[in-house]
Amino acid sequence: MAIEIRPITADEVAAFRSVVSRAFGGDAKNDEDSLQRFQDQVELSRTYAAFDDGAIVGTGATFSFDMALPGEVLTA
C-alpha cells in the first residue's frame, strides 16, 4: 500500500501530536487542556502527515509566530 501524505483533520490532532511528541522525545498528554493548547497553535492547513494503512507515521508542520523588532512601528 502507498503512503498517503496530506494535511491532518481536526479529528487527527491527538494522533499527530503524539507522533510529534515521540519524535522529539516527549510524552504528550492527551488531556483536553493539553490538546486544546496544541490545537490553538497549529493551523491544520499548514500540517502534513504521512499515513501508512491509516496510522500517522510521519509529520511536518509550519507554525506561525509574531515577531517583535526594535524600531518604529510602520503601517501600510
Side-chain angles (χ1 to χ4, degrees):
M1 178 175 230
I3 300 289
E4 176 187 13
I5 298 175
R6 62 171 173 76
I8 62 168
T9 65
D11 293 340
E12 296 164 332
V13 169
F16 183 87
R17 185 170 179 268
S18 291
V19 173
V20 169
S21 181
R22 279 194 307 257
F24 286 99
D27 183 21
K29 295 179 183 175
N30 282 328
D31 61 82
E32 191 173 320
D33 289 338
S34 296
L35 282 173
Q36 187 61 53
R37 276 192 308 275
F38 184 79
Q39 193 157 11
D40 289 345
Q41 295 174 7
V42 69
E43 298 167 63
L44 298 181
S45 63
R46 297 181 69 164
T47 64
Y48 287 97
F51 294 83
D52 185 14
D53 200 26
I56 297 177
V57 296
T59 64
T62 302
F63 293 86
S64 298
F65 292 95
D66 292 330
M67 179 184 286
L69 299 172
E72 69 181 86
V73 175
L74 302 175
T75 59

